[in-house]
Amino acid sequence: MNYLTHENKWGRAVGPVAGVLILLAAVLLAAGRCPAASGPAIPSIFKPESTPADSIYGLSLLVLAITGLIFVIVFGLIAYAVTRFRRRPNDGAEPPQVYGSNQIELAWTVIPVLIVLVLFMATARVIHAIEDARMPKGAIEVTAIGHQFWWEFRYPALGIVTANELHVPVSDPEHPTPTFLKLLSADTDHSFWVPRLAGKTDLIPNRVNKMWIDPHDVGVYVGQCAQYCGMQHAKMLLRVYVDTPEQFDQWVQEEKKPAQTNDAVNEGRQIFETTACINCHTVSGTVADGRFGPDLTHLMSRDTIASGAAPNTHENLKTWIQDPDTIKPGSLMPAMKLNDHELNALTTYLEMLR
């Protein structure tokens, strides 16, 4: 009877552990069978496309392998001790007492020290390779400024200012063209993170931080602010467009052109220049030279508005002008409250900015 009671207790103890292990295995199996999402919607830290991200990924695999091995060994020893040395029925004898073992104590001191040393050296090597990389000749320089709640990108050598969508050339291993970013903040703490291209780097007021990327394949890579910076932190998104050298040169030439306009949108332009719009936004070739909001000179060349919160469509643009909180509650852009005629005229003008 005592033996059966003991076995029931053992079964109740092992049951939850086995259930957790089975659930974990099922989750991992399901994750492995799920097809990868196409397009830029879901960033993946497991598909690095840049040297910094690849170095971090390799380091993470090393750490996972070492810690996973430690887990297996420790869990195995615990399971062995629980099953092999569990108390037997009617066994009241005290187990043998062993006092100290120099070999065992030396082993559990030296081995953890060596493991920590290996992890430290591997981490230091990756940090040094990423943080102390020298900017080669021909690299693209970009100043990224974090605002509540959008991104400003300035190309000092090219004379280009844009927002939320960063364009860089692909970096061919035979002809590397990395992009070096100087990270600044206009208000509070932010964090620049594009998982497939590099690790997180903070943007801190009154401090200059730096990072670099060298994308190996063309495409669109998504990221966002990874540091809580206010109510709309979750919608402070960004996109990195990795272009071929020819596409990037064409984009540069287009961005250097002044804003397009014609007589058909003069009414909308007048509304833009006589309202609060010019206090926040810049449009080259006009009196608008505000710095609190994104540069709108080539607004319609962007795929999204509101820092990626909505596609850049006619209806979304009208909604964003009239009542920004509909798309991005808590954004710092004021609602213009224009009548329908003024709203249509202003929207038509902005849609000319390509």
Side-chain angles (χ1 to χ4, degrees):
M1 184 68 179
N2 291 336
Y3 178 76
L4 293 177
T5 303
H6 175 76
E7 289 298 320
N8 289 337
K9 290 181 179 179
W10 171 246
R12 287 195 297 269
V14 173
V17 176
V20 171
L21 293 177
I22 293 173
L23 179 61
L24 179 60
V27 170
L28 293 176
L29 181 62
R33 291 185 175 181
C34 287
S38 60
I42 302 177
S44 173
I45 61 174
F46 300 108
K47 295 181 179 180
E49 286 291 347
S50 180
T51 299
D54 191 58
S55 299
I56 295 171
Y57 175 65
L59 176 63
S60 68
L61 291 182
L62 173 64
V63 174
L64 179 61
I66 293 176
T67 54
L69 180 61
I70 294 173
F71 170 80
V72 170
I73 293 174
V74 172
F75 186 84
L77 291 175
I78 292 175
Y80 172 76
V82 169
T83 56
R84 175 69 177 80
F85 301 106
R86 67 183 184 274
R87 184 175 180 180
R88 304 294 179 181
N90 302 320
D91 182 8
E94 185 175 350
Q97 303 298 302
V98 179
Y99 296 96
S101 169
N102 292 335
Q103 292 81 1
I104 294 178
E105 292 178 0
L106 187 63
W108 71 40
T109 300
V110 173
I111 293 176
V113 169
L114 291 177
I115 292 173
V116 172
L117 182 61
V118 169
L119 294 177
F120 171 79
M121 296 298 293
T123 304
R125 182 182 64 84
V126 171
I127 292 175
H128 172 72
I130 295 176
E131 296 294 331
D132 297 333
R134 294 186 178 182
M135 184 171 63
K137 184 178 180 180
I140 304 298
E141 295 183 66
V142 178
T143 299
I145 306 173
H147 299 259
Q148 290 178 308
F149 301 95
W150 59 281
W151 300 94
E152 179 180 4
F153 299 119
R154 294 182 169 270
Y155 299 72
L158 302 175
I160 294 173
V161 179
T162 186
N164 302 318
E165 297 180 0
L166 175 66
H167 282 256
V168 301
V170 67
S171 186
D172 187 344
E174 296 182 359
H175 303 90
T177 311
T179 299
F180 280 71
L181 295 99
K182 181 167 69 173
L183 306 178
L184 308 173
S185 173
D187 35 53
T188 187
D189 290 352
H190 302 282
S191 186
F192 189 99
W193 188 36
V194 183
R196 297 186 66 182
L197 300 183
K200 303 173 185 176
T201 305
D202 288 345
L203 295 81
I204 303 172
N206 302 316
R207 179 182 176 86
V208 177
N209 284 340
K210 296 181 180 180
M211 65 178 295
W212 61 282
I213 57 177
D214 62 338
H216 300 151
D217 197 8
V218 298
V220 182
Y221 301 89
V222 294
Q224 70 176 84
C225 176
Q227 174 71 33
Y228 182 74
C229 55
M231 182 174 180
Q232 279 305 312
H233 154 72
K235 290 186 178 180
M236 189 172 168
L237 311 175
L238 65 97
R239 292 183 172 212
V240 178
Y241 289 76
V242 180
D243 304 324
T244 65
E246 296 76 18
Q247 290 173 332
F248 182 73
D249 290 341
Q250 182 180 0
W251 177 81
V252 169
Q253 296 305 317
E254 292 294 329
E255 290 291 314
K256 286 184 176 182
K257 295 178 180 179
Q260 297 183 20
T261 186
N262 59 44
D263 294 340
V265 296
N266 280 344
E267 182 180 5
R269 175 175 175 173
Q270 184 177 7
I271 294 172
F272 181 85
E273 294 178 353
T274 56
T275 59
C277 299
I278 62 173
N279 294 332
C280 295
H281 298 286
T282 292
V283 176
S284 65
T286 72
V287 296
D289 60 354
R291 293 286 301 275
F292 293 102
D295 188 301
L296 301 181
T297 303
H298 300 286
L299 169 65
M300 298 310 295
S301 67
R302 302 167 194 164
D303 291 333
T304 62
I305 58 175
S307 190
N312 191 1
T313 64
H314 175 78
E315 291 302 323
N316 285 341
L317 185 57
K318 287 180 62 176
T319 302
W320 180 243
I321 296 170
Q322 190 71 346
D323 188 8
D325 279 357
T326 301
I327 294 176
K328 200 169 184 176
S331 66
L332 302 184
M333 178 173 168
M336 298 308 296
K337 303 301 181 183
L338 304 173
N339 60 46
D340 290 342
H341 178 76
E342 292 173 332
L343 178 60
N344 288 329
L346 179 56
T347 304
T348 302
Y349 166 65
L350 292 178
E351 288 179 328
M352 286 292 299
L353 304 178
R354 297 184 179 275

